[in-house]
Amino acid sequence: METFDRKKLYNKLIRFIIPLPFLLYFFNGLDRTNIGYAALTMNKELGISSVDFGIVTSVFFITYLIFQVPTNMLLERIGARKVIPTIVIGWGLATLLTFFAQNLTQLIVFRVLLGMFESGFFVGIIYWLTLWFPRSERGRVTAIFTLSLSVANIIGPPVAGYIIQYINFGGISGWRWLFIIEGILPMILGVIAWFVMRDNPDQAKWLSVEEKNVIRADLEEEKANNLANKEPVSWKKTVTNATLWKLAAIYGIINVAVQAASIWMPTLIKDIAAFLSPSLIGFVMVLPMIISVICMYWVGKHSDKIGERKWHIALPMFVLAFSFLLICLPVNSLALKMLALMLFGASVMSYYGPFWALPSELLSVEGVAISIAVINCCNAIGSICGNMLTGILMGRFGSTGVFVFFSIIAAVAGLIVLTLDLKKHSPEFSKQLSPNGLSPEQ
């Protein structure tokens, strides 16, 4: 196994493993953010104010928060092969039902259901990937997987804008057709996932016995290294770990801005450029999201290559903060606004790969699933607060107040990242990636 071509093996693993979760996360992104484009016409039709819309976007994250940890405990108990396809079919159904919403209350109910079903998907996939890939591959793998969200942000806006503006079959509003189209497709993929997903490499028929042995050996060696450097920890010790809560705080705070911005951006752009139609707003967002895909992949790959995480997470957050300030500058310059949006695209997802490689590097192997769920729960809390506050700020201060708020939040998250002591927590990772055996930060 010492002479086995591991690069070739893990590239093969990526080709076989990543396409399905990539597609699923693509539709996850569409189903979560399509409400922002629907709002361009839906809010007026249903009589929804900016504060009401803040509630609509927030309730999704309440059930997302409540059901996240239980769902991932279930995933550990019965496996991804059964849990993840069920989740996907459920969220597709919840999206489809939004087609029938007639008032604010019904819309809230459907968003609650969507949050319940989506709650375990992302952290479930992240945990599932730890059962297939060793630490040295996870930054790259996570970046490739999460690229699908950027791809959704490229394809989704112009498609959503077009559907809302031009698809009105049977006199039914375009925003309703948006939900039914984007609900049916993930339900189909969920059924497919039932038949093609496997819980771990041992169940993969497309891997040879030797390949399975190499993967198993790599994962067992990683676990042994963790056990040798860290005492076994209980569930209680896992959730009282200071590093876990620092990571959770970072992710929760940055998502106050990121999650709210991803949902509210169409409305915010409409506020500063009222002449734009829904379809044009969708096309305006294409270029920033193309840049997002490129930067996200490059940052994740570069982070793995040099064995550095801290600045690969913090710097995109600082650039994001700057982009929000540029967007809201009272300057009537289309070029400046587009530059700001391109900086937004370059930074809004770039920290994902390096960040989501940290839990398995800094925390106990036995508690990694729970740790990931706790971190993503703080994402939900941040998203609830972000959407509620955005609705209030939009009503009182307009889009300028919202963008200034987003900028402050992103900068604070970046500053907290700089307080992480990665040399203390992850010596074995540094030795693995640094050719001279020194920590990348030394």
Side-chain angles (χ1 to χ4, degrees):
M1 277 187 264
E2 291 297 325
T3 60
F4 197 89
D5 190 343
R6 280 172 166 77
K7 181 177 181 181
K8 184 177 179 181
L9 170 60
Y10 287 113
N11 284 339
K12 174 182 177 179
L13 212 57
I14 288 172
R15 290 196 303 272
F16 277 83
I17 287 295
I18 297 302
L20 180 60
F22 187 97
L23 278 174
L24 295 177
Y25 198 37
F26 171 83
F27 284 102
N28 181 269
L30 292 183
D31 286 341
R32 187 179 300 187
T33 59
N34 56 16
I35 192 78
Y37 289 91
L40 294 172
T41 57
M42 177 189 70
N43 286 2
K44 183 177 181 180
E45 183 175 324
L46 299 184
I48 295 174
S49 67
S50 61
V51 175
D52 291 335
F53 188 63
I55 296 172
V56 168
T57 54
S58 295
V59 293
F60 165 90
F61 293 101
I62 294 175
T63 47
Y64 188 92
L65 171 63
I66 293 171
F67 286 93
Q68 192 165 117
V69 173
T71 301
N72 281 274
M73 288 181 172
L74 186 65
L75 186 142
E76 283 190 285
R77 182 178 294 272
I78 67 175
R81 186 178 184 179
K82 295 178 181 179
V83 175
I84 290 177
T86 303
I87 287 172
V88 175
I89 294 170
W91 95 50
L93 179 61
T95 300
L96 186 150
L97 289 173
T98 310
F99 173 89
F100 301 100
Q102 298 296 322
N103 52 51
L104 176 63
T105 301
Q106 291 177 5
L107 188 59
I108 288 174
V109 169
F110 298 140
R111 294 296 291 181
V112 164
L113 288 173
L114 184 63
M116 182 181 72
F117 283 111
E118 286 197 11
S119 61
F121 176 73
F122 180 76
V123 291
I125 292 291
I126 293 295
Y127 169 68
W128 181 62
L129 292 176
T130 68
L131 305 178
W132 291 82
F133 295 94
R135 174 175 300 149
S136 60
E137 298 290 331
R138 285 184 205 139
R140 178 171 66 121
V141 169
T142 305
I144 294 172
F145 161 60
T146 50
L147 270 175
S148 59
L149 197 57
S150 292
V151 175
N153 289 334
I154 292 171
I155 298 174
V159 171
Y162 182 87
I163 292 172
I164 290 167
Q165 188 167 352
Y166 297 110
I167 306 299
N168 298 283
F169 300 135
I172 298 173
S173 300
W175 67 266
R176 295 185 185 275
W177 286 112
L178 176 67
F179 287 114
I180 200 167
I181 293 170
E182 294 184 359
I184 290 174
L185 294 176
M187 292 177 71
I188 295 171
L189 282 175
V191 173
I192 294 172
W194 265 101
F195 296 97
V196 302
M197 283 197 76
R198 297 293 181 266
D199 289 318
N200 54 60
D202 289 334
Q203 298 176 1
K205 295 180 180 179
W206 40 269
L207 287 172
S208 68
V209 173
E210 185 180 13
E211 289 171 333
K212 292 178 183 179
N213 289 338
V214 170
I215 296 169
R216 189 185 304 111
D218 287 350
L219 294 174
E220 288 176 355
E221 181 182 1
E222 176 183 309
K223 185 175 181 179
N225 288 337
N226 274 276
L227 292 175
N229 288 282
K230 303 173 188 176
E231 297 180 2
V233 294
S234 64
W235 184 90
K236 182 178 180 181
K237 286 186 177 179
T238 297
V239 298
T240 56
N241 184 300
T243 301
L244 166 61
W245 289 106
K246 184 172 284 190
L247 291 175
I250 292 166
Y251 203 58
I253 291 170
I254 191 62
N255 276 295
V256 169
V258 170
Q259 292 289 355
S262 66
I263 293 173
W264 283 81
M265 192 61 80
T267 300
L268 294 170
I269 291 176
K270 184 70 173 177
D271 187 60
I272 62 177
F275 62 91
L276 292 176
S277 66
S279 59
L280 284 176
I281 290 174
F283 280 105
V284 163
M285 292 304 298
V286 169
L287 181 58
M289 292 302 102
I290 291 174
I291 294 172
S292 175
V293 171
I294 297 169
C295 291
M296 187 177 180
Y297 178 76
W298 183 85
V299 170
K301 184 177 180 180
H302 190 260
S303 176
D304 278 350
K305 181 178 180 180
I306 70 171
E308 200 284 330
R309 301 295 191 210
K310 185 185 292 186
W311 283 101
H312 285 78
I313 301 169
L315 189 58
M317 293 180 181
F318 293 138
V319 174
L320 183 64
F322 180 65
S323 74
F324 286 136
L325 288 180
L326 275 184
I327 291 173
C328 69
L329 282 179
V331 178
N332 190 21
S333 169
L334 180 60
L336 181 64
K337 301 298 183 186
M338 286 305 300
L339 172 63
L341 285 173
M342 286 187 284
L343 288 174
F344 168 79
S347 57
V348 71
M349 300 286 289
S350 294
Y351 61 87
Y352 262 48
F355 180 87
W356 280 110
L358 287 182
S360 60
E361 293 167 11
L362 306 186
L363 305 170
S364 161
V365 171
E366 290 78 7
V368 70
I370 295 173
S371 300
I372 290 171
V374 169
I375 292 168
N376 218 38
C377 279
C378 289
N379 159 37
I381 293 172
S383 301
I384 293 167
C385 296
N387 280 284
M388 290 291 290
L389 289 171
T390 299
I392 294 170
L393 291 171
M394 187 69 178
R396 294 186 179 181
F397 304 106
S399 58
T400 299
V402 173
F403 282 122
V404 170
F405 169 67
F406 287 168
S407 179
I408 293 170
I409 290 297
V412 169
L415 290 173
I416 298 175
V417 171
L418 296 182
T419 68
L420 287 171
D421 187 356
L422 303 190
K423 290 185 291 184
K424 174 182 176 181
H425 289 283
S426 190
E428 67 275 11
F429 172 71
S430 300
K431 290 176 183 177
Q432 180 179 355
L433 294 184
S434 182
N436 59 8
L438 297 175
S439 165
E441 295 186 335
Q442 287 180 308

